[in-house]
């Protein structure tokens, strides 16, 4: 198994800045994008949450769940929350993503059953429980808008890390799993570029973040990430003249197609043939 080196401080500092900038703004989707990017990079690089705590803390500062929760809401223990997630995710896997995409009411029910108990947990933060928190966010995303395959894949894939040590959830991830996480980075970026296509300031910040990621993943065997940097430079010039980011977005779509085969193979093997989701600790 090839494990990437720890993410450099430059990307951590930039994501911390971006989360501080957007956490209390009207651009909540941008803040969520940067939080997801931080989480995914932590996993891809095989880092511990402790190395990303300062970044995650900025996102936690925008968490408004505390002001909306009922004072008498039932508080689970960490183990109870894990058990709840596994039970809910097993039902999602049993139904199958295709079934949930075809039945909007069933999809809403499955997402609600998973999300609401997690929403009530005042102790659950991205900083202290990153995997659990991102499962909650993915379920909340599924409730907020029409569900997509990506949302359910996120929930299933993140749940695969629930059995890993809390202090190091990415310690035994396979290369196939990491390829799926990189695919999520691409899809998330394509989606947020589409959302903020008329907001040059947000687009600039996204492109800067992805250009830093390109350097981090430049030696990837599947995709030549360094090519993204050149496109980011073109985007930066385009912003000054009021053009859109069609070139950048189209390139990311080609990356999406490249990774899609790896993602399909992973989900087919994991949820149809029941192959192990993590490598043994001896790997």
């Amino acid at each position: 198994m090839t494990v990437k080196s720890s993410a450099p401080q430059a990307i951590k500092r930039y994501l911390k800045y971006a989360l501080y900038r957007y956490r209390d703004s009207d651009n909540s989707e941008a803040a969520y994008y940067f939080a997801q990017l931080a989480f995914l990079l932590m996993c891809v690089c095989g880092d511990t949450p402790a190395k990303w705590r300062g970044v995650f803390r900025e996102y936690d500062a925008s968490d408004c769940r505390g002001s909306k929760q009922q004072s008498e809401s039932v508080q689970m223990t960490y183990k109870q929350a894990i058990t709840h997630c596994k039970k809910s995710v097993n039902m999602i896997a049993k139904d199958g993503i295709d079934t949930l995409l075809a039945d909007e009411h069933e999809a809403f029910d499955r997402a609600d059953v998973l999300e609401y108990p997690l929403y009530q947990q005042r102790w659950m933060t991205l900083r202290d429980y990153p995997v659990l928190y991102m499962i909650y966010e993915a379920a909340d995303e599924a409730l907020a808008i029409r569900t997509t395959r990506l949302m359910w894949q996120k929930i299933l894939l993140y749940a695969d890390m629930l059995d890993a040590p809390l202090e190091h959830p990415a310690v035994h991830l396979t290369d196939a799993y990491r390829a799926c996480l990189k695919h999520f980075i691409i899809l998330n970026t394509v989606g947020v570029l589409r959302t903020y296509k008329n907001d040059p300031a947000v687009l600039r910040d996204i492109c800067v973040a992805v250009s830093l990621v390109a350097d981090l993943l430049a030696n990837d065997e599947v995709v030549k990430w360094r090519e993204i940097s050149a496109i980011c430079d073109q985007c930066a010039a385009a912003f000054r003249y009021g053009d859109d980011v069609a070139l950048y977005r189209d390139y990311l779509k080609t990356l999406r197609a490249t990774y899609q085969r790896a993602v399909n193979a992973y989900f087919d093997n994991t949820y149809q043939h029941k192959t192990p989701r993590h490598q043994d600790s001896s790997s």
Side-chain angles (χ1 to χ4, degrees):
M1 178 180 65
T2 302
V3 179
K4 300 292 183 181
S5 59
S6 179
Q9 290 300 316
I11 183 64
K12 295 177 184 177
R13 284 196 299 268
Y14 190 80
L15 290 176
K16 187 175 181 179
Y17 150 78
L19 286 169
Y20 175 80
R21 176 172 179 174
Y22 291 107
R23 68 184 187 189
D24 297 320
S25 71
D26 294 332
N27 298 318
S28 59
E29 190 167 337
Y32 179 44
Y33 166 77
F34 288 117
Q36 285 189 92
L37 182 57
F39 173 77
L40 292 168
L41 288 176
M42 178 195 77
C43 297
V44 167
C45 296
D47 282 344
T48 62
K51 294 183 178 180
W52 289 82
R53 191 154 290 162
V55 179
F56 293 156
R57 186 182 295 115
E58 293 297 335
Y59 189 68
D60 288 335
S62 66
D63 192 344
C64 61
R65 288 178 304 137
S67 61
K68 298 179 180 179
Q69 292 164 342
Q70 300 294 328
S71 58
E72 66 274 12
S73 60
V74 177
Q75 296 299 293
M76 300 177 179
T77 65
Y78 174 69
K79 289 185 177 180
Q80 288 173 332
I82 294 294
T83 300
H84 163 72
C85 282
K86 287 182 177 180
K87 181 178 179 180
S88 298
V89 170
N90 284 339
M91 293 301 295
I92 292 171
K94 183 178 179 180
D95 288 342
I97 295 178
D98 290 334
T99 299
L100 295 174
L101 291 176
D103 189 336
E104 186 174 337
H105 296 292
E106 180 72 10
F108 182 89
D109 288 343
R110 288 287 181 237
D112 187 50
V113 167
L114 173 60
E115 186 268 353
Y116 188 69
L118 297 179
Y119 167 82
Q120 295 292 332
Q121 306 312 305
R122 293 187 291 271
W123 50 267
M124 189 181 68
T125 62
L126 179 60
R127 179 182 68 250
D128 296 321
Y129 304 95
V131 175
L132 203 58
Y133 192 90
M134 291 310 293
I135 291 174
Y136 154 71
E137 285 280 21
D140 186 61
E141 185 181 4
L143 286 173
I145 58 178
R146 185 175 181 275
T147 58
T148 65
R149 185 172 300 276
L150 174 62
M151 293 176 189
W152 297 114
Q153 286 181 337
K154 283 180 185 177
I155 292 171
L156 292 173
L157 208 68
Y158 294 165
D160 287 348
M161 287 188 279
L162 290 175
D163 289 326
L166 176 62
E167 65 276 8
H168 200 342
V171 64
H172 298 314
L173 300 183
T174 64
D175 287 339
Y177 191 106
R178 294 173 195 276
C180 292
L181 297 180
K182 295 170 190 175
H183 184 249
F184 288 171
I185 292 175
I186 295 168
L187 290 186
N188 290 343
T189 304
V190 170
V192 79
L193 286 172
R194 184 181 300 115
T195 299
Y196 292 103
K197 62 183 179 181
N198 296 319
D199 191 330
V202 178
L203 292 176
R204 268 197 301 270
D205 289 338
I206 294 168
C207 285
V208 170
V210 178
S211 68
L212 293 171
V213 174
D215 287 336
L216 176 65
L217 304 176
N219 295 324
D220 190 276
E221 296 178 358
V222 180
V223 175
K224 301 299 182 184
W225 283 86
R226 193 171 295 279
E227 295 178 23
I228 297 179
S229 296
I231 293 180
C232 282
D233 292 339
Q234 295 179 39
C235 285
F239 290 139
R240 290 194 290 271
Y241 299 102
D243 295 333
D244 61 18
V245 290
L247 177 63
Y248 183 75
R249 188 169 59 247
D250 289 345
Y251 184 75
L252 286 173
K253 288 180 180 179
T254 66
L255 300 187
R256 176 179 61 187
T258 302
Y259 267 125
Q260 188 65 61
R261 291 188 294 274
V263 173
N264 290 343
Y266 178 86
F267 276 89
D268 287 345
N269 290 335
T270 302
Y271 295 103
Q272 293 183 17
H273 305 296
K274 306 299 182 184
T275 57
R277 300 173 188 177
H278 289 78
Q279 292 182 337
D280 295 334
S281 57
S282 59
S283 297

